[in-house]
Every structure is written in structure tokens, then in C-alpha cells.
Amino acid sequence: MPRILKRIESVVPRRASGYGGKARGLAALARAGFPVPAAYAMPGWVGDSFYSTVLDIADRPRALLREPHVSDVRLQAIAERVRDATLPQDVVRAVKDALLAMRDEGATSFAVRSSGLHEDQEGASAAGMHSTALNLMREDEVLDAIKVCWSSLFRPRVISYLRMLDEALPVSVGIVIQAMVPAEVSGVLFTVNPLTGDGGEVVINAAYGLGSQVVEGRVTPDTYRIDKATGQLRDRMIGDKAQQTLLERSGGVREVEVPPADRARPALADPQLLHLNDLANRIENHFGDARDVEWAIAGQQVYVLQARPIVVPRVRSRRGARHDRLWDRRKIVWSNANVGEALPGVATPFTWSVLSQFSDLGFRRAFGAMGCTVPRDAELVGDFRGRIYINLTEFSAIMSQIPWIHPSTLVRLGGGQYAPELDQVVAERNSTGFVLRLPQTVSRYVRENFRLGARIEEFESYFAEERMRIEAIDPRILEPSGLDRMLGDVEHLLDETGSIMLTAYANLLSAVLALLTILRIFARDQGPGFYRDLLSGLQDVSSARPGFALRQIAQLACDEPEVAKRIRSTPLPELRVDDLPPGRTREALRRFIEDYGHRGVREAEIAAPRWAEDPTLMFAALRSHLDRSADIPARERGLRAAREDAERKLQQGVPLPLRPVVHKLLEVARRFTRMREHLRGHVIEVLGLFRRVALEASRRIESREPEAGPDAAFFLTLTEVRRVLYDDNDRVALRVQRRRLEYERNRKLPDPPTTFVGFPPDDESFAAAAKSLKGLAASSGIAEGTVRILNDPSQAADFAPGEVLVVAAADTGWAPLFLAASAVVTELGGPLSHAAIILREYGVPAVVNVSNATRSLRNGDIVRVDGDAGTVEVLGAVATGS
């Protein structure tokens, strides 16, 4: 007769299917020499045999699964019979011998864990469905826990899950009896970043006490991101770690509060991080794939409790890659001055998985179009505290291939600060390859621009047809495979749209860099505002249209007093277009929603609602226009005059033979600025299609896992969502809950500095409020007004016309309020940012890249915003406590 219990290292993994997924994984670890606590495994047939002696045939698992419905009351009664029955003596003797052997090795208490044969299977995880008992001291407690594990098979949730599996898949429950580890610190590590798919990074979650709180998402742990190759710290986020689970001396566990001083300090020291990084490398190398590893530290020993395979996004892996130059991560310069404006704040995992890959590919195409080579394993985009950053060190190294461009030019265009660490990159520049490729680059640039007009015309036709086709699909009626195909179509549309948008951006950047070189030579004395004037008043910039459209709708509302009264008096969160009296204004607003309803604040965040879903900001702008009449024609005349004056001065300063070239460069820069803004609008439309699929996927996930919540898909990566659509058996609620907790933790953290070296500092302090703040001049003009800080669209109702709008990042979703503001101040952005382009079109003075503006200024402060000098001067501070 087969043995009832086997020592875990004597279980052969390839022949361990009868022991369940958990036991098989532990056996593989133990046999490979990893530090696994002493354990014994019991195969599933022991439980099946027990069921056959204590249950009627109709009440056994396989028979229950054949019934169309089994009541919860009946399942509870079956589970009670299993728990109350007496175990066979051979099982009791085997358990007693195993406990005695582990006690001889130093174990003082034990854990009993279910190891379902349907767990950790391909397409069937069953994670968290069965029972686990911790810190059992006595033999009878262990025996009772085994029956509890067996009885967990009869939970309604488990039965529902098993009904969806292949009938050939076994439903038995194996058991693991393991020596208890009195963990001081424990947690989970991922051998690949599970959100970004970065194979060069190990992610470690750690908290005090046992790891159950981390695994179940009941505590916010510390999060460490380690460079796998060097062991250097990429980022560290200290969680609140408010509670910990400890072993009771008499058995069982208890939850206690962590002292405040301990919550604030890291749970892991540097040597422990290095040890865990080494462990992650060895486990990944042994299994040959990405792993989710549960670990615990007791004394000086690190134990591995479990290692499961994980699915990661399909992005470029840097594991084992070679780089021309291995950067010292402590000296890498990171910045989100420009890219953070496109995706401000903390990104959800779904958004990050879509846009990080899109951004990485886009930057490569843009650099390639300029004739620069990009290392295959270059790390261009990074994630810190959930925020997107670009690697300025890598960018500068790439841009340094262009002999006449200094990296500081790139920093100035994108915003941010030039760090001394970039000087080393400049010192090591090598432009030989770029110069040799220059004839090909110029030839390609001319060839692409020659046919670009036709290509864009073809694309516009394709985009309109494909978008209408996808929008016509009702995702609610699709089979899972159909919804997956819809998601694939949206991905393809994003690839096509992004490809042509990034071609336009590469052309724009090339033209701007050439133009700046000419300005530096021939218009050095014209001042920093000269470049902005040349690219102001472009007219017909698509991202500026919503603001102008709302201004015109406000004029219509002025002619309909009842409509104007309703807009002014109804609380904004309650106001909807269909609530307005019939008339020209309501019809115009309906057309506005049709044309621009896909836009919104933080519109690159797929989880964020659009204007069509939440029109609060739209109505706030409309109300402001009703109460303040801006002289738009006068602004347009001023912009046109400034642009024409700048053009005249430039032509006078440039030698006669070069004037046609300069004129052409200006035309190209302006044309591609308009084109880039237009195509970005298409990208936002596609992201709205992603949102439709994610909302439907969330509805389906919640229907089978209510605990996952109504927004579950946004806390999964694109790869994971597709897996869920393919496989109804994949259970994700626990993963979603943990990520939602991490997302909320990141949102509460202050934004890291706009530019930093190495990794964000733990000290989030900032300079006290000053009389004058410095940023980058984005839109010419000087204005004085009262500060209004808006952190969220819901606060738009507080905005009064003529106030100075202050926001962390003014993406195009804020644009409707720009025209009603006397000036705009942002913490992020640069001269080429979308907000800066829109503000120049509106003729609204603006300063961007003002560090800590939302914390240094206060609502009610009187300020002077100088859009030419790039300064914000506080003229009168609001009284303390007001």
C-alpha cells in the first residue's frame, strides 16, 4: 500500500501530481537545496479514502459536481460530517511519526496546509480557497486540522469553482504538514516585476511577523525594487505595517499593533535585501521561469515557504541582456517633468501595462527616426511609487550621438532639471556612427515626409472605419473569446495610431532641435521667449478645440436665460446635459459630448472617467465662461502679432541663403505640432476603447468573484486580463485586493521629486513657502489673481473665473478651464508639453515645472504669474488657518 506521508524532499516533482500543487512546488524547492522548513506531504487519495468511509456516495465530491445544484445547507452538513468523523488509525500513526521526526529536528509547532490537486495547475490556481491552520502545538490539533482541510472541499465557493474545471482534472485535496517558522519578517518576492514585466528587477514585499497579512492583502507592506544583476536598490517604499501576526506560546496566532516607530523604519536591512535578491536569482534560474515566492526570516535564517509560477506582461525582458555600458543605478537620473504630464499621478496596473510598452516602443521609433541607435536592452521608462519616469541618463546617452546637441537641450525641452551626473554621459559621447548614418537619416527623413501626407490620409480613413466598427460592438453580449478578440483589435488600433503619431513626434523633435540650433547661432540675444513666440498662435490645434467650443456654447446659453440659470444654480456633480431645458445649448452640448466626450482629466489613465461619464469639469468651465467674458479675438491678435514679429526678427538675423531653410523649418515644426496634437486625440479615443473592454471584464470578474470589486480589471495587467477572458477558472480577487491596497498606498504618498538621482529620497519634505517660485516659461504674458489649487476634477466646482489655476499636471483634460483662468501654474511640463501648446493657443500666461507648487501655494494667495520670465511671485499670502 502506498505510504500515507512522505518527507517533502523524497517526493519526486514529476511524479507528484497526486500530492497537489503546493506539495509539488515545495518538493521541487527542497530537492534543489533551497531552505524549505521540514515538511511531510500526504497524497490526495488518503482524503478520498476517508470520504468513502464517512460519506454516502451521493455526498462525495465527484457526485456533487454532477448535480445541477447543491444547497449551501447540504454542503455545510457534509463538511460537518467530515470534521466530526474519526480518522483511521494508520493515518493517526503516520502523522504521529512525522511530528515526532520534525520535533527531533527542533520543530516546536506546525502548520497544516491544503494542497489541492486542482491548485496551481495550468489555468486553474484555486489560490486561497482551501484551509490553512497555523502554530498547532499538539497531535490532536494537527489531526483535526487535516479534517478541516478535507472539509474545505465542500465550501460553496470551491464547489462552484470545481464545476467550471475540466472533468478529467482531479478534485482531491492533499495535505502538507510543515514545521512552523516563527517569522520576525516575512512576505512575498517576485523574480520579475509582475506589473511591468521587467525581467531585470526583483520586487520584494515585506512586513513584520507572519506573511499571511501580506499574502492576503490585509497590511500595506514595504516594497523594495532591486536591480537583479547588481543588487542595487531601485526604489524603496515604506508601508504602514500597522499590524503583525505573531505566534501564541500556547498555540494559534494573534494580531497585534506595530509600534509607530517600527512602522516608519524599513522591515529589511541591506544585507537581507541582497540575500533575497540572490535567492530570487537562484530560484528563477532553477525553474527557468518567473516565480512568486513566499518567504520568512527567523533569526538569521531565510526560509522559502512556496514558489509558484506567475504570468507577466509581454514586454522586453532584460534578464541576461548585455548593455554597451552598465549604468551605476545610484547615478541614473530620472525625470517625469514631461511624461508625467501625459500620465500624471499613480497609474493602475492595466494602464501601466498598456502605456509603458507603448512609450518604450515610441521612444525607440522617435530616436531611430533621428538617426540615433538605441541599445536593445535600454531601460527608457521606469516606475517609481506608481508614477511613470523616463531615464534621462539613457536618453542623454542616446542624444549625445548627435554632435551638435547637448543633453541639457533635451532636458530644457522636456522640463526638469539638468543633473551633474549627466555630464559624465556627455564626456563619453561618440558621434561616429551618427555621422556615418547621417546621409541615410536625411534621405529617410525626406522620403518619409514626402509620402507622410498620403500616409496620414490613408490612416485617417482606416482609423475612422475601425473605431466606428469597434464602437458598434456591444461587449456585454460577447462570448469570452469574442471579448478577447475585441481587446486584440483595440491593441492593434493603438499600435497603428501610435506608430503614425510617433512618426509625427520624431519629425517635430528633429525640426525643433534644428530650429534651436539656428536660434542659438543667429538669435542668441532674443531671449527665451523668442522660441515660444515662433510656435504660438498656430490655429486649429485639435486639443485646444474643446475650450473654444465650450466658450461658444456659453454664448448660446447667454441667449437662453433658463438654461444659464440651471447651469449656474444646479450643484455640478448633479448636472447632466439631458437635465437642461430643450434648446440650442442642450443640442450643442450633446454634439460636444459626441465629439469630445472621450477626453477627461488624467485621460491617459484608462481607469479615469471621461467627460461623457463625468461632465463636472465641462460644466465648471461652462459656468466660468458664463460669469467671465474673455476677449478671445484680442488674445488671438496679440498671439499673431507676437509670432509675426518673432518671424521678422529671425529672418533679419539669418543670412540670406539660409532664410528659405529657416522658413521651411518653421513650417515643419508648426505642422507637426498640430499633427501631434491631432493624433494624440486619436490615441485617447483608443484608450477609451480599452476602458470599455476593461469595464466589461471587471463586470464579469465581479459576477464570479464579488470580493474582487467592480473595477477589478484595472488592477490586472493586460496579459492577466486576457488570461481571465480565456479562462473562467482563473481566480484573481486576492491579487486584485493586494494591488488595490498598494495603489491606494502609492496615491497617499507625496509625489517624488520631478527629477532625482538613483531612487526617490525617503525624506519627502519640501522647502517652506517662498515669496517667489521659479519654473519654465510656457506661455507669454503676465497676470495677477487669486490661487485656486485643484487636485481632482470633482473640485472644479470651487473654481471661480479669473483665478490662477494651479495643478500638479495640466494634461489636456483640464483644458476647458484654461480659458476661464487668468493664468495657469503646473508642477510638471515643458515647452513642448501638450498643456503648454494649448495655453499658447489660448494666450493664457503660464509657468510649468514649478516644483511643489500645489504645496508651496495656498488657496487664496494673491500671485503674479510671469509667463515670459517663468516666475510666480506671491503678492499676498492667505492668513494662516484660513
Side-chain angles (χ1 to χ4, degrees):
M1 183 176 181
R3 292 172 59 183
I4 291 175
L5 280 173
K6 272 185 137 180
R7 185 78 179 199
I8 196 68
E9 55 266 31
S10 69
V11 175
V12 180
R14 67 177 180 274
R15 295 199 295 269
S17 59
Y19 288 86
K22 193 176 279 91
R24 184 174 61 252
L26 282 171
L29 289 165
R31 291 170 69 87
F34 291 102
V36 174
Y40 282 78
M42 181 183 292
W45 67 260
V46 180
D48 293 341
S49 176
F50 184 66
Y51 298 146
S52 67
T53 62
V54 301
L55 298 176
D56 296 334
I57 292 177
D59 291 339
R60 295 172 193 170
R62 190 59 73 181
L64 293 173
L65 294 178
R66 285 195 288 267
E67 294 189 26
H69 174 72
V70 182
S71 70
D72 292 357
V73 174
R74 182 182 171 193
L75 289 174
Q76 184 177 355
I78 296 172
E80 287 178 359
R81 289 206 299 276
V82 172
R83 291 193 295 269
D84 293 340
T86 301
L87 286 171
Q89 282 303 305
D90 55 348
V91 174
V92 174
R93 284 194 299 270
V95 171
K96 181 177 180 179
D97 291 344
L99 298 183
L100 183 62
M102 286 190 283
R103 281 197 172 100
D104 288 343
E105 297 175 28
T108 58
S109 66
F110 308 94
V112 175
R113 307 177 191 273
S114 302
S115 180
L117 274 64
H118 45 273
E119 284 186 288
D120 298 332
Q121 301 282 343
E122 181 65 31
S125 67
M129 285 193 175
H130 294 294
S131 294
T132 293
L134 303 176
N135 199 30
L136 306 175
M137 312 292 289
R138 304 190 310 272
E139 177 186 313
D140 62 314
E141 292 176 327
V142 173
L143 295 171
D144 286 342
I146 291 172
K147 292 188 290 182
V148 169
C149 289
W150 284 338
S151 71
S152 67
L153 188 60
F154 300 96
R155 292 174 177 169
R157 178 187 172 198
V158 176
I159 292 295
S160 297
Y161 171 79
L162 293 175
R163 287 184 191 280
M164 296 185 292
L165 298 181
D166 187 337
E167 288 188 4
L169 197 64
V171 296
S172 306
V173 177
I175 302 291
V176 173
I177 305 174
Q178 194 170 39
M180 194 71 208
V181 176
E184 299 151 10
V185 180
S186 55
V188 180
L189 69 80
F190 303 91
T191 65
V192 169
N193 189 312
L195 299 183
T196 67
D198 186 349
E201 182 170 273
V202 173
V203 178
I204 301 172
N205 293 330
Y208 300 121
L210 304 182
S212 54
Q213 292 212 18
V214 176
V215 173
E216 296 167 12
R218 292 185 290 118
V219 68
T220 305
D222 294 348
T223 301
Y224 306 85
R225 294 170 48 212
I226 311 296
D227 186 73
K228 189 181 293 183
T230 65
Q232 292 177 3
L233 192 64
R234 291 190 178 185
D235 195 10
R236 175 178 63 193
M237 289 159 282
I238 307 301
D240 60 14
K241 306 186 296 293
Q243 290 187 320
Q244 60 179 322
T245 302
L246 300 176
L247 305 182
E248 287 278 23
R249 290 187 177 182
S250 58
V253 298
R254 61 190 172 97
E255 292 187 2
V256 300
E257 289 192 3
V258 175
D262 290 338
R263 298 179 196 178
R265 68 177 177 84
L268 293 172
D270 289 347
Q272 293 170 319
L273 290 173
L274 287 172
H275 190 131
L276 288 170
N277 181 62
D278 176 67
L279 187 65
N281 274 283
R282 290 193 291 119
I283 289 176
E284 185 177 66
N285 289 333
H286 174 74
F287 287 101
D289 59 14
R291 292 276 152 165
D292 165 354
V293 181
E294 293 180 29
W295 54 270
I297 298 177
Q300 302 299 315
Q301 177 66 48
V302 176
Y303 295 92
V304 180
L305 307 180
Q306 192 163 316
R308 293 179 293 262
I310 57 173
V311 178
V312 296
R314 300 191 307 269
V315 298
R316 183 180 294 102
S317 172
R318 298 181 184 90
R319 179 173 176 240
R322 296 186 62 183
H323 198 296
D324 293 337
R325 170 169 165 55
L326 186 62
W327 303 114
D328 183 345
R329 299 202 66 86
R330 294 166 297 184
K331 297 181 179 180
I332 291 179
V333 182
W334 297 93
S335 176
N336 72 340
N338 195 300
V339 72
E341 181 224 33
L343 182 56
V346 179
T348 57
F350 187 75
T351 297
W352 177 261
S353 64
V354 171
L355 291 186
S356 60
Q357 184 173 353
F358 174 78
S359 299
D360 184 271
L361 181 60
F363 286 132
R364 290 174 182 276
R365 285 174 174 168
F367 283 131
M370 290 188 290
C372 299
T373 58
V374 182
R376 190 163 55 95
D377 61 322
E379 183 182 4
L380 301 176
V381 180
D383 162 33
F384 293 91
R385 320 285 164 89
R387 285 88 167 165
I388 188 170
Y389 279 77
I390 61 172
N391 185 340
L392 276 186
T393 299
E394 196 77 75
F395 272 52
S396 297
I398 296 167
M399 289 295 292
S400 290
Q401 298 172 39
I402 306 176
W404 56 85
I405 298 296
H406 193 277
S408 60
T409 304
L410 177 70
V411 176
R412 188 168 66 252
L413 283 174
Q417 303 162 344
Y418 186 80
E421 285 78 5
L422 297 178
D423 289 333
Q424 183 179 358
V425 176
V426 179
E428 298 179 2
R429 74 161 73 204
N430 185 342
S431 303
T432 303
F434 176 85
V435 173
L436 292 175
R437 291 188 301 272
L438 191 56
Q440 293 175 305
T441 303
V442 173
S443 174
R444 183 176 65 246
Y445 182 85
V446 172
R447 188 170 60 252
E448 286 185 353
N449 277 278
F450 179 76
R451 57 182 296 271
L452 188 58
R455 182 183 169 195
I456 289 177
E457 187 175 335
E458 293 171 2
F459 167 79
E460 288 291 344
S461 176
Y462 158 78
F463 180 86
E465 293 177 4
E466 187 68 359
R467 187 201 66 205
M468 289 180 63
R469 182 187 70 81
I470 296 174
E471 284 182 341
I473 299 172
D474 185 351
R476 296 170 299 177
I477 64 175
L478 294 177
E479 293 292 325
S481 59
L483 190 61
D484 178 70
R485 283 195 298 274
M486 182 180 177
L487 181 56
D489 289 344
V490 176
E491 284 187 85
H492 179 70
L493 186 58
L494 180 64
D495 287 343
E496 293 295 315
T497 309
S499 174
I500 197 159
M501 186 195 78
L502 294 163
T503 299
Y505 184 69
N507 280 278
L508 170 62
L509 194 56
S510 299
V512 167
L513 289 173
L515 185 60
L516 286 174
T517 301
I518 291 173
L519 293 179
R520 189 167 60 247
I521 298 171
F522 300 108
R524 187 187 302 270
D525 58 344
Q526 293 297 331
F530 191 63
Y531 160 76
R532 294 190 302 277
D533 289 340
L534 288 170
L535 295 182
S536 293
L538 301 180
Q539 300 179 345
D540 198 32
V541 174
S542 61
S543 51
R545 291 176 196 163
F548 288 130
L550 283 175
R551 179 74 186 89
Q552 292 172 348
I553 294 173
Q555 292 172 347
L556 291 177
C558 289
D559 295 332
E560 296 179 308
E562 187 59 34
V563 173
K565 179 181 177 181
R566 186 77 60 87
I567 293 173
R568 286 191 175 102
S569 61
T570 306
L572 287 186
E574 303 172 12
L575 193 55
R576 292 293 182 271
V577 173
D578 290 340
D579 296 335
L580 298 176
R584 295 173 62 197
T585 303
R586 189 171 76 173
E587 290 308 309
L589 281 172
R590 284 177 174 170
R591 289 194 299 273
F592 180 89
I593 292 294
E594 290 177 4
D595 293 338
Y596 306 112
H598 61 278
R599 311 218 71 148
V601 173
R602 299 190 73 236
E603 59 191 5
E605 169 52 67
I606 300 172
R610 273 45 182 164
W611 290 340
E613 302 167 76
D614 180 6
T616 300
L617 189 131
M618 180 186 77
F619 278 114
L622 199 58
R623 181 182 292 178
S624 296
H625 291 316
L626 287 173
D627 296 334
R628 179 176 186 258
S629 177
D631 191 350
I632 303 298
R635 287 182 176 180
E636 291 178 346
R637 288 193 298 271
L639 290 170
R640 186 164 55 250
R643 186 185 71 240
E644 291 172 353
D645 183 58
E647 287 179 11
R648 185 171 56 256
K649 291 178 180 178
L650 178 60
Q651 292 289 0
Q652 290 173 352
V654 173
L656 187 61
L658 290 179
R659 289 179 185 176
V661 175
V662 172
H663 181 72
K664 184 63 177 178
L665 272 176
L666 277 172
E667 282 188 355
V668 169
R670 290 166 180 168
R671 179 161 64 97
F672 283 117
T673 297
R674 296 189 195 96
M675 191 181 299
R676 173 204 181 201
E677 293 300 298
H678 173 70
L679 293 169
R680 185 181 187 274
H682 284 342
V683 170
I684 299 303
E685 289 181 86
V686 180
L687 295 183
L689 298 177
F690 272 109
R691 178 171 171 79
R692 289 184 67 206
V693 177
L695 287 171
E696 174 58 22
S698 296
R699 186 189 66 79
R700 298 184 185 197
I701 292 169
E702 186 184 27
S703 69
R704 66 177 185 245
E705 294 183 89
E707 62 273 29
D711 57 352
F714 297 111
F715 294 94
L716 300 173
T717 65
L718 184 60
T719 300
E720 291 168 339
V721 169
R722 301 199 74 161
R723 182 183 175 95
V724 168
L725 296 180
Y726 269 117
D727 179 15
D728 288 338
N729 303 321
D730 193 16
R731 286 299 182 263
V732 298
L734 195 58
R735 193 184 318 159
V736 165
Q737 290 166 355
R738 289 194 339 213
R739 288 182 183 169
R740 189 181 288 115
L741 193 66
E742 182 179 4
Y743 174 80
E744 292 301 329
R745 184 271 309 275
N746 286 338
R747 285 186 63 196
K748 293 175 183 176
L749 290 173
D751 288 332
T754 301
T755 303
F756 61 83
V757 180
F759 63 92
D762 291 331
D763 181 11
E764 301 293 349
S765 62
F766 65 96
K771 285 290 185 181
S772 182
L773 304 177
K774 182 67 176 173
L776 296 175
S779 182
S780 298
I782 300 174
E784 295 181 5
T786 302
V787 166
R788 175 62 60 187
I789 300 171
L790 299 183
N791 298 306
D792 187 85
S794 63
Q795 300 172 340
D798 300 329
F799 180 79
E803 290 185 321
V804 174
L805 177 62
V806 180
V807 292
D811 66 1
T812 52
W814 288 105
L817 283 183
F818 290 171
L819 270 175
S822 60
V824 174
V825 177
T826 77
E827 292 182 341
L828 299 178
L832 286 183
S833 66
H834 300 287
I837 291 170
I838 296 170
L839 286 160
R840 288 196 289 268
E841 289 305 292
Y842 291 165
V844 176
V847 180
V848 301
N849 209 242
V850 180
S851 180
N852 294 308
T854 58
R855 291 189 283 175
S856 298
L857 299 173
R858 291 173 293 177
N859 285 326
D861 284 349
I862 307 299
V863 297
R864 177 187 289 120
V865 178
D866 189 333
D868 296 299
T871 59
V872 181
E873 184 181 355
V874 179
L875 304 177
V878 66
T880 303
S882 62

